[in-house]
Amino acid sequence: MAYNGIPIILGLAIILIGYLRIIYKIKRLPITIREQIDLNMYSLLIYPAVLVITFLPSIIDHIVGIFHPERPVWVTALRMSITHSIGFINAVMYIRLRNLNQKKKKNSFAETPSGFDMDSSSVSSLSFL
Amino acid sequence: MIPNSNVEGAYLLWILDLIATILSFLGSLLMLYFCYKVPSPRAASLKFILAVSIADLFYSIANILSNFETSDGPLCYVEGVIRESSFILTIFFSTCTAVASHKVSWQRGSFSRSAFFILCAIVAPILCIFMSILA
């Protein structure tokens, strides 16, 4: 726990705080801009959610292992099936978000008025995501 | 982890581990392929995704190796080093992606994504060595 658990918990905390602050920033944007780019700010929470889903069984397994060394098989099975498939979960999320972004890009190019300069708004910074 | 008949459900765990690991390995390869397909120059966000997928790939390799190790042989040490390093790198680069996204949205203009990626790439091996020594 002392070695394996702390980096995960610390990483998850930083990621969660970071994304919550990004959502706060997006909420402060004018509603017209948010509507024009059709941005669902809560979809950003998918990133930390994936990490929580992936590493939570590992954290639970560590904690249960400290108090009950003879832990039930299903706890270990859960950790092995979810934490060890991190590459697969990341790939699924990446491909899903990639397809979603491509669809959004097509829609925004079709609907954005010619006078609207994407680069002049802080929304363009979200393309980083 | 070769199935041990003395442990309850050992065979089930071994099968689960093998399936999850193979899926993870294929998923990481797929992500690498998608990143490779994007024409240069690649964005900093893509470089972060690339770093995470490489870490995931090595984590899967360590898990595959653990399915065939029997005792404290050289394979065990190799697997241990790869596992700890890739595990730390996955969390590190995921956290860096979140930090970079946060900085981009809050300090727009005064923040260079490429410079931040280079800094992360320098810090990553130092962190790996430090954590491996701690382990």
Side-chain angles (χ1 to χ4, degrees):
Chain A
M1 173 67 186
Y3 169 64
N4 277 328
I6 288 170
I8 302 171
I9 295 166
L10 198 68
L12 285 179
I14 294 169
I15 289 166
L16 204 64
I17 292 167
Y19 281 107
L20 286 175
R21 278 172 64 91
I22 293 168
I23 288 170
Y24 170 74
K25 184 81 172 177
I26 298 167
K27 268 189 172 176
R28 287 173 58 195
L29 289 171
I31 197 156
T32 47
I33 293 175
R34 273 193 273 156
E35 280 174 358
Q36 265 170 334
I37 60 166
D38 187 27
L39 181 74
N40 179 6
M41 65 191 86
Y42 296 104
S43 69
L44 296 179
L45 283 173
I46 286 171
Y47 295 91
V50 164
L51 273 179
V52 170
I53 290 165
T54 314
F55 287 113
L56 201 63
S58 177
I59 295 170
I60 291 169
D61 192 31
H62 277 124
I63 293 169
V64 172
I66 290 167
F67 297 108
H68 303 282
E70 294 290 318
R71 54 191 180 279
V73 179
W74 67 266
V75 178
T76 312
L78 196 71
R79 175 177 64 84
M80 281 190 168
S81 53
I82 296 178
T83 308
H84 285 192
S85 60
I86 183 169
F88 177 71
I89 297 170
N90 274 338
V92 168
M93 293 317 298
Y94 173 68
I95 292 165
R96 186 190 164 277
L97 287 167
R98 188 171 166 267
N99 292 341
L100 209 69
N101 282 343
Q102 279 178 348
K103 205 183 278 181
K104 266 186 187 173
K105 256 184 197 170
K106 273 182 196 169
N107 289 345
S108 67
F109 278 125
E111 291 169 11
T112 308
S114 54
F116 180 73
D117 179 12
M118 282 289 281
D119 208 43
S120 66
S121 72
S122 59
V123 176
S124 63
S125 66
L126 294 167
S127 62
F128 180 75
L129 302 167
Chain B
M1 186 195 76
I2 287 182
N4 180 354
S5 54
N6 298 328
V7 181
E8 187 198 350
Y11 190 70
L12 170 81
L13 290 177
W14 188 72
I15 292 286
L16 267 178
D17 188 28
L18 207 61
I19 293 169
T21 303
I22 289 167
L23 280 177
S24 179
F25 184 77
L26 294 176
S28 309
L29 281 181
L30 197 68
M31 269 173 80
L32 282 175
Y33 172 71
F34 276 120
C35 291
Y36 176 75
K37 257 181 67 175
V38 174
S40 306
R42 294 181 175 89
S45 55
L46 200 73
K47 287 176 186 167
F48 276 110
I49 291 170
L50 197 68
V52 171
S53 52
I54 290 170
D56 286 347
L57 187 74
F58 278 100
Y59 188 61
S60 309
I61 290 170
N63 285 334
I64 289 170
L65 286 177
S66 74
N67 280 302
F68 300 102
E69 87 185 41
T70 48
S71 60
D72 279 2
L75 191 66
C76 181
Y77 288 105
V78 172
E79 182 249 317
V81 169
I82 297 174
R83 177 187 295 278
E84 292 304 331
S85 308
S86 55
F87 182 72
I88 291 296
L89 284 181
T90 301
I91 301 165
F92 176 71
F93 278 112
S94 301
T95 310
C96 288
T97 310
V99 170
S101 308
H102 173 262
K103 279 184 176 279
V104 164
S105 61
W106 279 78
Q107 302 170 9
R108 198 166 170 265
S110 62
F111 177 70
S112 165
R113 300 164 193 183
S114 305
F116 184 69
F117 178 77
I118 292 166
L119 180 72
C120 292
I122 293 167
V123 171
I126 298 167
L127 190 75
C128 268
I129 294 165
F130 178 70
M131 295 304 268
S132 299
I133 292 167
L134 267 185

